[in-house]
Amino acid sequence: MENMFWIGFVGFALAIAFAWMQKGKVMSYSEGTEKMQKIAASIREGANAYLKHQYTTVAKVFAVVFVVLLIMAFASNGKMLSKFTPFAFLTGGVWSMLAGFIGMKIATNANARTAQAASEGLNKGLRVAFSSGSVMGFTVVGLGMLDISIWFHLLHFGFGINDPVALGNIMVMNGMGASFMALFARVGGGIYTKAADVGADLVGKVEAGIPEDDPRNPATIADNVGDNVGDVAGMGADLYESYVGSILATFALGAVGGYGWGGLLLPVLLAVAGIVCSIIGSFLIKTKENATQQSLLKSLRTGTYTAAVLSAIVAAPLTYYILGSWGVYIAILCGLIGGCAIGYFTEYYTSDTYKPTQQLAASSETGSATVIIGGLSLGMKSTLTSILIVAAAVLISYFAAGGSSVIVDASGMFTEAFNRGLYGIGIAGVGMLSTLGITLATDAYGPVADNAGGIAEMAGLPEEVRNRTDALDSLGNTTAATGKGFAIGSASLTALALLVSYVNIIQNGTTETLNFTLTSPTVLVGMFLGAMLTFVFSAFTMSAVQTAAQSIVVEVRRQFKEIAGIMEGTTDPDYATCVGLCTRGALHEMVAPALLAIIVPIATGLILGPTGVVGLLGGVSVTGFAMAVFMSNAGGAWDNAKKYIESGHHGGKGSPCHKAAVVGDTVGDPFKDTSGPSLNILIKLCSTVSIVFSGLVIAFNLMNLL
């Protein structure tokens, strides 16, 4: 079966060809008036400048880590670390960066075109924005297939690694570079976009009482740049890492589960089938003029659900042909159904067509404090459904795939039945992300619609155009929350698979009998450290947004006070200064939280040993999952509650209710776009870092001296 892995290159070709076709479709539309083109050019320039500085900064960190990995690999002659891992670390980072960069390039070219298309009709605006999102979605899955396929053929056919277990264990380490780059992109972009957004809203909408994206607001260009570097480039790198990580984790489990090359081939085939089904589903997304929020949601659901159903149908013969197991097929269905269920309940808690967000908007009648309290409550409550869905998916997929309650044999090693059950959990994660092409397309279109609304406002287009872009933007907030739900849900399944891969690698690398049970003091301490890491990481990222936003607030106030003619519209604000402040703030503040994900697992291993790391990974996975769902859903609900009021409810724009909702939205901004989505990367990066440095931890840890 190892000769069938060429199918990954077919998946890459299909995805990239479709992305190229969608790019051509987007670029064929008009960019609008000269003023619209000028505004779009300013946003492009700011986004390109930020990414150039970000990649330069990240390249220095990558160089240091690469040298460390190189020393570990060659100084130990491959015993402590595979000699391929340092190079896979670099390629993973490059592909992750490229996925985000391509998505950002098309988004900054689609924003004015979406605004112009929306002036001609809602359906046309939706098609342009969604086509732009499709470029991002299919580029991510295409590059993921290319990366995995190249490394498989290089290791197996180039370097002659013929043992599926050995190859799977090497491949699982390849995800570290993608996770590392994704964390920098998500955190840095999230700090940038939310600093600009919070600063623009607090001074512009609350203090000055001017509309969102008003050209008189000095932070409005920075805000629109932030949508691209955070919600597009950062998200692309994030979802690339999730996609590749789920497949690589399943590689390792398929090999130790006794499935041989078939266990490695199946996730690749599912991913390729998902690409084809996503392409079919994308053609079904369209709407009518004057569509309601509910009908817009129905349009996107039609495409995503059709892709999921087709994937479920295709997965049946593939699974039986490759593995001869209907149990594994049930596990795949668990992932597909679980992903759709998480998406639905995320939509329920964040869309203003349902009661939770409408009730949150109503709470604005008693002030901003009750809006904040209500949003916190809503976010906490929303963790119930996501956790229950993932818990059900874990149990059903484990036992359906042949898992057993007998975990270890007489020698203390994991039984084959246990590994087969865990393979079911891993393949459920692959199933959940198999249709990522269209899921990410529905997510990535949101920032484009948001930018389109900003351009429509700044260019002075008719109010009906802004109403259409606002409808698309509000829908984008919901689909963005849904996309984050998919990423977080799959992260929990992938993290469990990576945790077991870590234990397998540790057991194969030592002759000691290690106690991984909860009664072990080192495991318990590790769990506390993992829980602590979730909160400290969230604190770092929230504080970073606060610090950067404060500088924007001060600057916007200064310009309103010192530059005569801004409020009258006779003088242009100094947009460049706000863009520069956001860039410097994001680059300065992103390093510390990103390094936490590397330093803490290594330090824990060197002090507590491998068992302490297992506790750390368990603690960060559980608390990180719950915290990520809470933050993402609370933030999405606050944002849509504000938009619900802006659509004419509870007094509409400029009312006391609106100002209270804006305050809630500013609290939710770093929740949903910085800290929340970064946590799912933190979970997996901790796991891959632990796997990569497992040889070092086995050789040197304080517990060995006691």
Side-chain angles (χ1 to χ4, degrees):
M1 284 190 181
E2 62 267 37
N3 294 321
M4 293 181 62
F5 277 84
W6 55 264
I7 196 72
F9 291 115
V10 174
F12 157 74
L14 288 172
I16 296 302
F18 185 71
W20 184 264
M21 183 184 77
Q22 295 297 97
K23 171 187 175 284
K25 184 185 295 185
V26 170
M27 299 302 290
S28 69
Y29 287 95
S30 168
E31 204 170 10
T33 65
E34 184 178 342
K35 189 171 184 179
M36 292 168 68
Q37 294 175 32
K38 182 180 177 181
I39 295 167
S42 297
I43 295 171
R44 269 196 299 275
E45 182 182 348
N48 288 331
Y50 170 75
L51 287 187
K52 180 181 178 181
H53 288 300
Q54 184 190 58
Y55 294 156
T56 302
T57 302
V58 173
K60 296 173 184 176
V61 181
F62 260 76
V64 173
V65 176
F66 173 73
V67 171
V68 171
L69 295 178
L70 210 60
I71 293 171
M72 285 176 57
F74 285 89
S76 65
N77 198 27
K79 294 180 181 178
M80 192 177 292
L81 183 69
S82 166
K83 293 180 180 180
F84 304 108
T85 300
F87 303 99
F89 169 74
L90 287 183
T91 60
V94 169
W95 291 123
S96 181
M97 175 203 73
L98 192 59
F101 180 74
I102 292 173
M104 188 276 294
K105 291 293 286 185
I106 188 63
T108 54
N109 278 288
N111 47 18
R113 289 176 167 85
T114 300
Q116 177 62 26
S119 69
E120 301 171 28
L122 182 64
N123 184 53
K124 200 169 183 180
L126 174 64
R127 289 306 310 172
V128 177
F130 181 75
S131 294
S132 169
S134 296
V135 176
M136 159 77 91
F138 287 91
T139 296
V140 164
V141 296
L143 291 179
M145 282 289 93
L146 181 63
D147 185 25
I148 292 169
S149 301
I150 287 175
W151 272 105
F152 177 86
H153 284 83
L154 189 64
L155 293 173
H156 182 53
F157 297 108
F159 292 96
I161 299 177
N162 296 315
D163 179 9
V165 175
L167 191 142
N169 286 339
I170 293 172
M171 289 284 285
V172 78
M173 298 183 187
N174 291 5
M176 179 177 165
S179 297
F180 199 38
M181 181 65 228
L183 192 61
F184 272 107
R186 200 41 136 159
V187 171
I191 293 169
Y192 186 115
T193 184
K194 293 304 109 180
D197 201 357
V198 169
D201 281 357
L202 285 180
V203 185
K205 295 165 83 171
V206 176
E207 295 181 9
I210 59 178
E212 186 171 5
D213 297 312
D214 192 296
R216 293 172 292 178
N217 192 328
T220 190
I221 292 292
D223 186 9
N224 284 281
V225 170
D227 290 336
N228 292 287
V229 300
D231 298 340
V232 179
M235 179 181 59
D238 176 0
L239 271 298
Y240 174 87
E241 177 267 347
S242 295
Y243 186 70
V244 171
S246 67
I247 295 173
L248 294 180
T250 309
F251 263 34
L253 292 175
V256 298
Y259 287 117
W261 295 115
L264 280 68
L265 178 61
L266 182 59
V268 174
L269 286 174
L270 289 176
V272 175
I275 290 171
V276 176
C277 296
S278 294
I279 291 173
I280 295 171
S282 67
F283 287 109
L284 303 178
I285 294 179
K286 54 187 176 181
T287 190
K288 297 178 181 178
E289 193 55 44
N290 299 320
T292 63
Q293 196 68 198
Q294 193 68 38
S295 61
L296 285 170
L297 279 171
K298 183 180 179 182
S299 173
L300 293 183
R301 277 186 196 154
T302 300
T304 53
Y305 288 177
T306 298
V309 170
L310 291 175
S311 290
I313 294 171
V314 174
L318 287 178
T319 306
Y320 192 76
Y321 171 70
I322 299 297
L323 301 183
S325 170
W326 289 115
V328 173
Y329 174 64
I330 293 174
I332 295 168
L333 286 183
C334 281
L336 282 165
I337 295 171
C340 291
I342 288 175
Y344 172 78
F345 282 105
T346 301
E347 177 188 309
Y348 172 75
Y349 281 109
T350 59
S351 172
D352 63 15
T353 59
Y354 297 102
K355 281 188 177 180
T357 298
Q358 292 176 0
Q359 290 173 344
L360 182 61
S363 69
S364 64
E365 294 180 359
T366 50
S368 55
T370 48
V371 172
I372 293 171
I373 293 170
L376 293 173
S377 171
L378 182 151
M380 292 176 187
K381 193 186 301 180
S382 71
T383 62
L384 172 69
T385 51
S386 293
I387 289 176
L388 288 178
I389 290 166
V390 169
V394 166
L395 288 174
I396 296 172
S397 58
Y398 174 80
F399 287 107
S404 168
S405 57
V406 179
I407 296 176
V408 295
D409 56 24
S411 64
M413 301 295 287
F414 287 146
T415 62
E416 186 172 284
F418 178 66
N419 284 324
R420 284 177 179 263
L422 290 170
Y423 179 74
I425 295 174
I427 205 74
V430 175
M432 189 176 287
L433 289 175
S434 62
T435 56
L436 181 65
I438 190 169
T439 304
L440 183 50
T442 62
D443 188 346
Y445 109 94
V448 176
D450 193 359
N451 261 211
I455 291 172
E457 182 78 37
M458 287 184 280
L461 297 184
E463 187 177 349
E464 65 176 6
V465 179
R466 184 59 199 250
N467 291 337
R468 289 168 183 161
T469 58
D470 278 352
L472 295 175
D473 182 22
S474 181
L475 178 64
N477 287 330
T478 301
T479 57
T482 302
K484 288 163 192 162
F486 267 82
I488 295 164
S490 68
S492 63
L493 299 177
T494 302
L496 181 56
L498 289 170
L499 173 59
V500 177
S501 295
Y502 175 78
V503 175
N504 274 321
I505 291 170
I506 289 293
Q507 288 183 328
N508 290 329
T510 181
T511 56
E512 296 181 47
T513 301
L514 299 173
N515 181 10
F516 291 111
T517 65
L518 287 177
T519 56
S520 167
T522 53
V523 173
L524 282 172
V525 171
M527 291 182 69
F528 279 116
L529 292 175
M532 172 274 297
L533 178 57
T534 298
F535 284 87
V536 171
F537 177 84
S538 300
F540 267 77
T541 50
M542 292 283 288
S543 177
V545 173
Q546 173 205 347
T547 302
Q550 282 177 322
S551 67
I552 298 298
V553 168
V554 170
E555 174 60 22
V556 174
R557 285 173 177 166
R558 182 195 70 79
Q559 291 196 32
F560 279 151
K561 182 178 180 181
E562 297 180 7
I563 301 178
I566 286 184
M567 293 305 292
E568 292 76 22
T570 57
T571 303
D572 288 335
D574 181 5
Y575 300 119
T577 298
C578 289
V579 171
L581 282 172
C582 284
T583 299
R584 289 191 295 274
L587 293 175
H588 180 265
E589 299 288 342
M590 75 178 181
V591 177
L595 291 180
L596 273 178
I598 291 183
I599 294 171
V600 173
I602 296 173
T604 300
L606 294 176
I607 296 172
L608 299 178
T611 55
V613 175
V614 168
L616 172 84
L617 298 182
V620 75
S621 296
V622 172
T623 57
F625 175 45
M627 180 78 88
V629 173
F630 155 62
M631 285 186 153
S632 294
N633 289 349
W638 270 317
D639 196 349
N640 276 340
K642 176 198 69 175
K643 284 185 167 54
Y644 184 70
I645 293 172
E646 289 175 343
S647 66
H649 299 85
H650 305 289
K653 291 182 180 180
S655 66
C657 289
H658 181 228
K659 292 184 177 181
V662 169
V663 173
D665 181 36
T666 56
V667 175
D669 277 336
F671 267 47
K672 68 182 176 67
D673 290 322
T674 309
S675 301
S678 298
L679 283 169
N680 81 78
I681 309 172
L682 174 74
I683 293 169
K684 287 171 288 185
L685 183 55
C686 283
S687 299
T688 52
V689 166
S690 299
I691 290 172
V692 167
F693 287 91
S694 58
L696 177 66
V697 169
I698 292 172
F700 307 101
N701 70 79
L702 186 60
M703 291 297 107
N704 286 341
L705 303 177
L706 299 179

